[in-house]
Amino acid sequence: AMNVASIETVWAGEITPPMGRRVQAWDYKPRETSLEKGAEAGRFNMGSTVILLFAKDRVRWEPEYRPGAAVRMGRKLATRL
């Protein structure tokens, strides 16, 4: 991800502070974290770029996604083949 102001997880909230503050270390060993398949784990706040890489012919993209199309959180991107 590029140009990220902070990173937030669903189990711990914001884990990297906004610019200008010190980055902290987190230890999740005492706490067990589990998520449902496909559930949100966290997010990049403010202007993110995510690069997805798949082997050839391993996914079928949803037809609405073409170069330049908007991607919305929670919308299906592709189906694994």
Side-chain angles (χ1 to χ4, degrees):
M2 299 169 40
N3 301 321
V4 173
S6 66
I7 300 171
E8 190 172 341
T9 66
V10 296
W11 60 88
E14 190 174 55
I15 60 170
T16 58
M19 224 169 138
R21 292 196 223 154
R22 198 181 77 181
V23 175
Q24 300 175 0
W26 298 88
D27 182 5
Y28 295 110
K29 291 177 190 167
R31 183 188 316 174
E32 184 174 324
T33 302
S34 63
L35 300 169
E36 294 290 323
K37 183 177 181 178
E40 179 184 13
R43 65 184 65 96
F44 298 116
N45 294 320
M46 190 183 123
S48 300
T49 299
V50 176
I51 300 170
L52 301 172
L53 302 174
F54 299 99
K56 185 177 179 180
D57 300 324
R58 296 303 301 239
V59 297
R60 181 179 61 243
W61 295 99
E62 292 297 308
E64 65 198 71
Y65 294 111
R66 299 186 236 335
V71 177
R72 304 266 186 235
M73 186 172 114
R75 303 273 309 268
K76 182 178 178 178
L77 293 174
T79 302
R80 184 175 62 180
L81 301 176

